[in-house]
Amino acid sequence: MAGISGLAGAHIARAALAQGWRVTGTMRDLSDANKTKPLMAMPGAHERLRLAAADTDHPESFVEALNGADALVIACLPSIRNAPDGRPAAELDYKSGLSHCVAPAQSACCTLIEAAYRSGLSDIVLLSSTASAEPETAPTIKNELWHHSDLESQLRQGKFIAAQKTAMELAATRLAEEHGLRLVILLSGMIVGPGVLPYHQNGHILGRLRNMARKAQPWHHGTPTGSMSMIHPQDLATLCMAALENSKADGRYFAVTNSWSWQQIYDEIAQFVPEVALPEPAPKGTEIAPPTRFDFTRRNSLASMHYDLTDLISGYFLWLDGLSDIKADTTLEPKAASAQANA
C-alpha cells in the first residue's frame, strides 16, 4: 500500500486487515506519531501491518517495502494544487503547470510501477479520478472504457489538476502494457465520509467541510449550478479489495456512488453547519445542469455500493464531532462568522 496514511489509503488498509491480508504500508515519515499510532491501532494491525518509510522522490526506498508483496495499491498521489512558490495551479501558465503540477505526478506514478515490476509484482491498483474521463463533448451517459480526457486540451485550458490524473493514467497504462502487468484504475469521485486518522480532517475536501462546521467559513459563496460525483471511503475500499481479489479485473472502473447536484449536497450539509456557512442559493431562473450520469456496469461487476449521499455527509460530520482534539473549537465568533458570510 503506497500512501497508507491518506484518507483512501487508510480505509483500504483497514479493509484489507479486516479480510485477513498482511499489509505493508508506506509513508514518508515514520516518526510522525499522529499517523503511525492510529494506523497501528486498527484491528489486526499489530499482527499483520508493517509500516515502511518510502518516498517517490527516492525510487530505491520502495525496494524494501515491496519485498514479498503480492500486489501494489497506489494511493499516495494526491492532486498537486500549488507550485513550489505557493501559486495556485489555476494561476500557472502552460509551461509552469506542466512542470510543477503534471510532470511530478506522472513521474511518481511511473516510479511506483517500475519498482513493482522490478520486485516481481504483476497486480497493481491505481487510484485516479473521474477528471480523466471528461471528453471534449460531454456524453449523455459516461462509460469509463469509451470516454477519456484529452491531455493537451486540459493543459491548454490550464486544467492542471485534472491533467495530472490524465497524464498519470496514460503513463501507467503504457508501462503496464510494456511489462505485462495487470493494472486496475479506479476513477474516484470526491471522497467524503469518516476519516481513520484524526488528521484526515485537514484534507482538501474534509477540511472545507470542517471549516464550515467549526468556523462558519463558507466553501462556496453561491451554490454551484453543476453537480459533483462522490463516493464514501469505505465503498472505495470495497472496490479496491474486489479489484485485488478478482484476477479478471483489468482497466478502468468508475469508483463513484453517484452524482448529485450541489443543491442536493448542500441540503444535506445544512443539517450540520451554521446557516451563515451555507452559500447563497442560485438566482431564480438560473439553469441548473443535471447530475452526471454513469454507466456503472463495470463498477457493479466488482462490488455494490452501500452508502448514499446522506450517509456520506452524516458519516463525516458525526466522525468530526467525535474527535476530542477539536471539541473545544465549537464557539463561533459572531463578527468572524458575519465577515465570512459577507466576503
Side-chain angles (χ1 to χ4, degrees):
M1 165 67 65
I4 192 172
S5 63
L7 178 63
H11 273 275
I12 294 168
R14 187 168 67 176
L17 291 170
Q19 295 183 30
W21 285 55
R22 303 190 70 85
V23 178
T24 295
T26 69
M27 49 191 297
R28 288 188 177 90
D29 184 8
L30 288 181
S31 68
D32 189 345
N34 290 325
K35 298 180 181 179
T36 58
K37 285 186 177 181
L39 288 169
M40 294 309 300
M42 295 189 299
H46 281 291
E47 297 79 21
R48 288 178 281 108
L49 174 61
R50 179 171 68 97
L51 299 178
D55 189 332
T56 53
D57 289 337
H58 304 285
E60 68 282 357
S61 65
F62 282 92
V63 174
E64 192 274 337
L66 291 173
N67 184 39
D70 296 315
L72 170 64
V73 176
I74 302 176
C76 62
L77 303 174
S79 298
I80 303 170
R81 299 181 175 278
N82 299 88
D85 61 8
R87 284 178 296 162
E91 297 179 5
L92 302 178
D93 58 25
Y94 183 106
K95 183 177 180 180
S96 297
L98 179 61
S99 174
H100 297 313
C101 295
V102 180
Q106 184 182 48
S107 175
C109 183
C110 291
T111 291
L112 286 160
I113 292 178
E114 290 287 6
Y117 174 67
R118 291 195 300 272
S119 298
L121 277 68
S122 59
D123 297 329
I124 299 173
V125 176
L126 170 65
L127 300 192
S128 186
S129 164
T130 55
S132 68
E134 299 285 350
E136 293 290 280
T137 301
T140 302
I141 301 177
K142 284 190 178 182
N143 179 290
E144 60 268 75
L145 296 184
W146 304 340
H147 299 128
H148 299 259
S149 299
D150 181 84
L151 177 59
E152 183 59 30
S153 176
Q154 288 178 322
L155 293 172
R156 288 198 308 270
Q157 295 178 62
K159 297 179 178 180
F160 301 119
I161 295 175
Q164 291 171 38
K165 306 304 182 184
T166 303
M168 184 176 71
E169 281 187 38
L170 289 171
T173 300
R174 174 180 57 79
L175 284 176
E177 291 175 350
E178 288 179 2
H179 297 321
L181 306 176
R182 182 174 74 94
L183 173 67
V184 174
I185 302 175
L186 297 181
L187 307 181
S188 175
M190 186 170 74
I191 307 171
V192 176
V196 177
L197 284 63
Y199 104 99
H200 288 154
Q201 65 175 294
N202 300 320
H204 176 67
I205 300 301
L206 300 193
R208 290 181 181 273
L209 295 174
R210 179 205 59 205
N211 288 344
M212 290 182 71
R214 299 305 181 203
K215 301 179 181 179
Q217 181 176 316
W219 182 352
H220 301 99
H221 294 296
T223 302
T225 57
S227 61
M228 178 57 65
S229 304
M230 302 169 67
I231 189 169
H232 192 285
Q234 288 177 231
D235 275 340
L236 178 58
T238 297
L239 285 170
C240 182
M241 294 306 302
L244 288 172
E245 294 173 342
N246 183 351
S247 61
K248 294 183 179 180
D250 189 66
R252 307 168 98 210
Y253 294 80
F254 283 130
V256 171
T257 301
N258 215 328
S259 181
W260 292 278
S261 71
W262 275 103
Q263 185 58 62
Q264 290 175 293
I265 295 169
Y266 272 117
D267 286 345
E268 295 290 340
I269 293 175
Q271 302 176 56
F272 301 96
V273 306
E275 185 176 356
V276 72
L278 296 172
E280 293 291 329
K284 288 184 178 181
T286 300
E287 183 176 354
I288 306 298
T292 303
R293 296 173 63 193
F294 295 91
D295 178 349
F296 284 132
T297 303
R298 282 174 59 78
R299 183 203 70 182
N300 294 342
S301 72
L302 286 181
S304 299
M305 301 292 93
H306 296 287
Y307 300 92
D308 62 15
L309 178 60
T310 298
D311 298 323
L312 270 67
I313 301 301
S314 64
Y316 168 72
F317 284 109
L318 292 176
W319 171 77
L320 184 69
D321 286 343
L323 294 181
S324 59
D325 61 333
I326 62 168
K327 282 185 177 179
D329 186 25
T330 57
T331 302
L332 301 175
E333 297 181 8
K335 290 184 179 179
S338 177
Q340 288 292 344
N342 295 326

